[in-house]
Amino acid sequence: MAELVRRGYQVLVPFGTNQRYDVVLDVDGEFVRAQCKKGRLRNGVVRFPARSVRSNTRGLYFRGYSGEVEIFLVYCPETKQIYAVPVDEVPATDGWLRVHPTRNGQKEGVRWARDYELPG
């Protein structure tokens, strides 16, 4: 949150428990619900979970964020970047953003990390 404020964003924090979003950004008068995730750089790709996991005595339960938040804010310590990724552009299980070129030279259909870097 401190980094978002440092970059000039107005950050609102939800009151109460069990909200599906971690913060709300006030962007030019529009509220944007955001889920914060930590990404890890592996094999040239920043990977991050795109669903929540909870457990009880009956098992594991997975739940996506579609319709409940607008963006993932993904911090990757290896790249030292924050990426703003629309929830609707990410599969329901895991998200990935390519940092390094593909080994086979593919360019089409690649979700490049640089295109999602958070401005500011």
Side-chain angles (χ1 to χ4, degrees):
M1 287 190 294
E3 179 61 19
L4 293 169
V5 171
R6 188 190 73 73
R7 292 181 183 212
Y9 290 93
Q10 293 182 11
V11 179
L12 297 95
V13 180
F15 181 77
T17 58
N18 298 321
Q19 306 299 337
R20 295 293 287 159
Y21 46 88
D22 293 320
V23 297
V24 175
L25 301 179
D26 182 344
V27 181
D28 299 325
E30 299 259 341
F31 291 146
V32 179
R33 298 171 296 176
Q35 176 59 225
C36 299
K37 297 291 184 181
K38 182 178 183 178
R40 303 302 286 185
L41 183 63
R42 300 287 184 263
N43 300 318
V45 175
V46 174
R47 294 189 174 275
F48 62 94
R51 61 184 176 175
S52 63
V53 181
R54 69 176 178 85
S55 65
N56 63 23
T57 57
R58 295 183 183 175
L60 292 174
Y61 297 91
F62 301 95
R63 186 172 167 194
Y65 291 96
S66 183
E68 298 180 286
V69 300
E70 284 75 47
I71 62 171
F72 290 113
L73 291 175
V74 181
Y75 174 69
C76 179
E78 294 89 356
T79 63
K80 295 182 177 32
Q81 287 290 335
I82 298 174
Y83 305 97
V85 186
V87 169
D88 295 337
E89 293 185 21
V90 178
T93 56
D94 295 296
W96 59 89
L97 301 171
R98 181 152 287 284
V99 174
H100 301 122
T102 62
R103 283 186 265 170
N104 66 1
Q106 177 181 344
K107 290 183 173 64
E108 196 171 317
V110 175
R111 190 176 294 113
W112 294 103
R114 65 180 172 259
D115 296 335
Y116 296 92
E117 289 179 4
L118 186 68

